[in-house]
Amino acid sequence: NWAGSSWYYLRYADPKNKKEFASKKNLKYWTPVDWYNGGMEHTTLHLLYSRFWHKFLYDLKLVPTTEPYKKRTSHGLILAEGGEKMSKSRGNVVNPDAIVKTYGADTLRVYEMFIGPFEQAASWSTDSLIGPRRFLEKVWRIAEKVQAQKKNTKSDSEIEKLIHKTIKKIGEDVESMSFNTAVSALMIAANDMDKDVTVSFKDFKAYLQLLALFAPHITEELWRELGEKKTIHTSKWPKYDPKKIIDDIITIVVQVNGKVRAEIKVSASLSEDEIKRVAQADERIIPWIDGKEIKKIIYVPKKIVSIVCA
């Protein structure tokens, strides 16, 4: 009874073919599957069976590859509020229709992505839905501010830099399925945009494109409100400028013989030798190294200067 579910995905490559299993041309194009994600309960059974069947079909020369998938990941379970597995018999199942009616579909989507690491189990909390709901209300408020500025094209340098950093982070987080940290980054960006007096159309539209992955409905509506005619979901993914994600000022921890003695703020453009000199000249560091022989100075880029004295 597992046979059908072990090879049906191969038929998707050529579903209307009545003459053969599937055309070799289609199978060569569509397989192996780039990324197979499933529940933890399928990690052993379905994965084991589907690989067995695929290798069997390969021996029959019906598929072109020896392995069915290039990559396999598992997602965690959403547990009931008490930490138990949801089941109808226990009466602890969450009805998504009721959640959507009260909070909206986007709130539910954002909460599910924000609840915790994708691959780990997490306990449901209806009370916690209010956070994502307020976040989306904040985005709506920012949109109203952007529209009131009558198509401001001038970008605030800090907001522009933040948007470029967020574009980079969301791209990386989505690829690694770190959806909770991606949503967190979007929340941080929204907080800064909410506080700032001006937010350009360009920056906000890029932000909406990032948020559209998690909140497709509100972003589509705001996208149209900003004058776009085509759907946000077919728009070109924004690109970040590497020059705009470099911090001008970085904080370096300075240690003397393994103990933290100070933190210094320096320009990110300084060389390693220059940063070491700044650390040694800091008035908080001088008393700890004055009159002592400096054996070595270790620099961990953008993080630590460690001075070792005799």
Side-chain angles (χ1 to χ4, degrees):
N1 67 334
W2 283 80
S5 64
S6 294
W7 67 268
Y8 70 93
Y9 61 92
L10 293 167
R11 183 65 178 170
Y12 288 157
D14 199 6
K16 296 182 180 180
N17 192 334
K18 295 182 179 180
K19 296 181 179 180
E20 55 187 336
F21 178 79
S23 76
K24 287 181 170 58
K25 180 182 177 181
N26 285 25
L27 287 172
K28 186 176 180 181
Y29 178 82
W30 287 107
T31 63
V33 173
D34 292 295
W35 193 341
Y36 170 29
N37 180 76
M40 286 291 188
E41 65 275 15
H42 288 162
T43 300
T44 301
L45 295 179
H46 192 265
L47 181 60
L48 179 67
Y49 295 154
S50 60
R51 288 188 72 227
F52 174 87
W53 272 89
H54 193 90
K55 290 178 181 294
F56 168 69
L57 293 170
Y58 178 77
D59 290 343
L60 295 178
K61 295 182 172 51
L62 291 172
V63 294
T65 62
T66 58
E67 290 290 343
Y69 324 114
K70 288 183 181 179
K71 182 178 180 180
R72 171 68 165 81
T73 55
S74 299
H75 59 76
L77 290 172
I78 300 295
L79 304 174
E81 298 209 24
E84 298 177 329
K85 191 172 181 178
M86 290 187 188
S87 68
K88 291 182 179 179
S89 61
R90 292 176 179 170
N92 58 3
V93 175
V94 175
N95 183 356
D97 293 338
I99 300 295
V100 169
K101 186 176 181 180
T102 305
Y103 296 95
D106 283 344
T107 298
L108 175 59
R109 288 171 61 97
V110 170
Y111 174 66
E112 286 185 317
M113 295 298 97
F114 187 58
I115 196 171
F118 188 73
E119 72 282 1
Q120 296 178 18
S123 295
W124 178 270
S125 172
T126 301
D127 292 341
S128 296
L129 283 161
I130 193 65
R133 173 67 189 190
R134 286 173 178 167
F135 159 59
L136 294 177
E137 289 173 352
K138 184 180 296 181
V139 173
W140 190 276
R141 190 164 62 243
I142 296 167
E144 292 177 337
K145 177 171 65 176
V146 171
Q147 289 175 300
Q149 292 169 3
K150 297 181 179 179
K151 295 201 173 182
N152 169 39
T153 57
K154 186 177 180 181
S155 297
D156 178 286
S157 59
E158 290 304 313
I159 293 296
E160 184 182 28
K161 185 185 293 185
L162 174 65
I163 294 298
H164 281 266
K165 286 182 178 180
T166 307
I167 292 171
K168 180 177 184 293
K169 180 161 180 59
I170 300 303
E172 293 171 347
D173 284 355
V174 168
E175 186 65 27
S176 64
M177 301 186 88
S178 302
F179 303 125
N180 58 322
T181 55
V183 172
S184 177
L186 289 167
M187 289 178 171
I188 291 170
N191 287 339
D192 284 9
M193 287 191 292
D194 192 37
K195 294 174 185 175
D196 208 280
V197 176
T198 59
V199 178
S200 73
F201 256 55
K202 180 181 178 182
D203 289 340
F204 187 64
K205 284 165 74 173
Y207 178 83
L208 287 180
Q209 288 174 296
L210 302 177
L211 180 59
L213 297 175
F214 307 97
H217 306 93
I218 185 175
T219 50
E220 178 72 6
E221 185 164 347
L222 292 177
W223 186 252
R224 298 301 178 101
E225 289 289 329
L226 294 178
E228 293 292 332
K229 303 300 181 184
K230 296 182 179 181
T231 174
I232 191 173
H233 304 299
T234 58
S235 62
K236 193 172 182 179
W237 184 256
K239 293 183 178 180
Y240 68 88
D241 183 344
K243 295 179 181 178
K244 292 178 180 176
I245 64 173
I246 299 173
D247 290 320
D248 295 326
I249 302 296
I250 56 177
T251 301
I252 304 291
V253 173
V254 184
Q255 296 178 342
V256 179
N257 289 339
K259 292 186 178 181
V260 176
R261 298 300 182 186
E263 286 186 356
I264 58 173
K265 294 186 181 297
V266 297
S267 171
S269 62
L270 291 183
S271 67
E272 178 177 336
D273 288 338
E274 288 172 324
I275 292 174
K276 287 179 178 179
R277 284 197 292 271
V278 171
Q280 293 174 78
D282 189 274
E283 60 182 12
R284 294 163 295 177
I285 297 301
I286 291 174
W288 298 100
I289 64 175
D290 192 31
K292 297 179 181 178
E293 180 188 355
I294 297 177
K295 293 284 189 180
K296 60 181 176 180
I297 302 176
I298 302 168
Y299 176 59
V300 179
K302 298 184 179 181
K303 293 182 179 180
I304 298 172
V305 171
S306 182
I307 303 171
V308 181
C309 297

